[in-house]
């Protein structure tokens, strides 16, 4: 038995630039996930730093902030059975070179830095990330 969960996903700036918003979202929907919130935004560097605050000590934190604020992104909340792990499976490994064939990152991403898509990695992350972008009124659960 799996629980109904919500998870936060982002089509990152390289995904928007490469015109694969529809491809990414289509994969989530075909897998049975429901989009319950979605918008396009352009984060500042400090917005991106706040979103990725868990990585503040990592060597790539500065570049990650720069990349995530380099252009608009599409942020969405996905709902469904086991949504957190399912979304991660559809995304593939962080490094596209190690991602399983048929995953978003294997098919579309160019590098471990610029890897097209984000998905919450745990219930705790989702609980931080969803309200980072969406108020309760912007989430349209079924
Ligand atoms: N990242 C990076 N270099 C690394 C690891 C990660 O630039 O060595 C970036 C990449 O965009 C990744 C994000 O930082 O998606 C967050 O890293 P995390 O380990 O949380 O990977 P994810 O959860 O996105 O698979
Ligand atoms: Mg992560």
């Amino acid at each position: 038995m799996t629980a109904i969960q919500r998870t936060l996903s982002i089509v990152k700036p390289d995904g928007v630039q490469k015109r694969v918003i529809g491809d990414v979202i289509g994969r989530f929907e075909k897998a049975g996930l429901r989009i319950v919130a979605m918008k396009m935004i352009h984060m500042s560097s400090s917005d991106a730093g706040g979103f990725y605050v868990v990585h503040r000590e990592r060597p790539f934190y500065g570049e990650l902030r720069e990349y995530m604020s380099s252009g608009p992104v599409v942020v969405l909340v996905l709902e469904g059975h086991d949504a957190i792990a399912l979304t991660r499976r559809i995304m593939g490994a962080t490094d596209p070179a190690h991602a399983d064939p048929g995953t978003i990152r294997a098919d579309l991403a160019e590098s471990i830095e610029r890897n097209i898509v984000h998905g919450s990695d745990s219930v705790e992350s989702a609980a931080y990330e969803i309200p980072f972008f969406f108020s309760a009124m912007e989430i349209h659960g079924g």
Side-chain angles (χ1 to χ4, degrees), residues 12 52 55 60 64 67 88 91 94 105 112-113 115 117-119:
K12 295 179 174 184
Y52 277 121
H55 291 318
F60 56 81
L64 179 58
Y67 158 49
R88 297 286 301 190
M91 288 163 51
T94 308
R105 283 163 164 173
I112 192 171
E113 291 86 16
N115 57 9
V117 68
H118 169 84

Side-chain angles (χ1 to χ4, degrees), residues 3 5-6 9 13 17 29 32 34 41 52 60 66 82 84 86 94 105 115 117 122-123 125 127 130 137-138 141:
Q5 295 176 329
R6 287 177 179 173
S9 179
Q17 187 76 34
E29 288 195 317
R34 179 185 302 277
I41 57 163
Y52 277 121
F60 56 81
E66 203 176 309
D82 206 16
I84 295 169
L86 176 57
T94 308
R105 283 163 164 173
N115 57 9
V117 68
S122 64
V123 171
S125 301
I130 292 170
M137 254 193 290
E138 294 174 307

Side-chain angles (χ1 to χ4, degrees), residues 4-118:
I4 298 281
Q5 295 176 329
R6 287 177 179 173
T7 191
L8 190 283
S9 179
I10 305 178
V11 184
K12 295 179 174 184
D14 53 327
V16 174
Q17 187 76 34
K18 286 181 170 164
R19 305 183 201 176
V20 295
I21 298 169
D23 188 338
V24 171
I25 292 174
R27 291 172 191 236
F28 291 144
E29 288 195 317
K30 284 192 191 81
L33 291 161
R34 179 185 302 277
I35 297 169
V36 296
M38 181 161 76
K39 61 189 168 189
M40 181 178 270
I41 57 163
H42 190 154
M43 284 187 268
S44 68
S45 174
S46 78
D47 292 334
F51 177 70
Y52 277 121
V53 71
V54 64
H55 291 318
R56 68 189 174 285
E57 308 295 346
R58 308 289 286 279
F60 56 81
Y61 184 58
E63 281 179 19
L64 179 58
R65 290 173 58 155
E66 203 176 309
Y67 158 49
M68 289 301 291
S69 60
S70 66
V73 300
V74 174
V75 285
L76 51 151
V77 179
L78 299 168
E79 184 179 83
H81 286 285
D82 206 16
I84 295 169
L86 176 57
T87 297
R88 297 286 301 190
R89 280 201 296 279
I90 297 165
M91 288 163 51
T94 308
D95 183 348
H98 299 138
D100 289 339
T103 60
I104 292 169
R105 283 163 164 173
D107 290 352
L108 304 175
E110 66 193 50
S111 68
I112 192 171
E113 291 86 16
R114 298 171 64 83
N115 57 9
I116 299 281
V117 68
H118 169 84

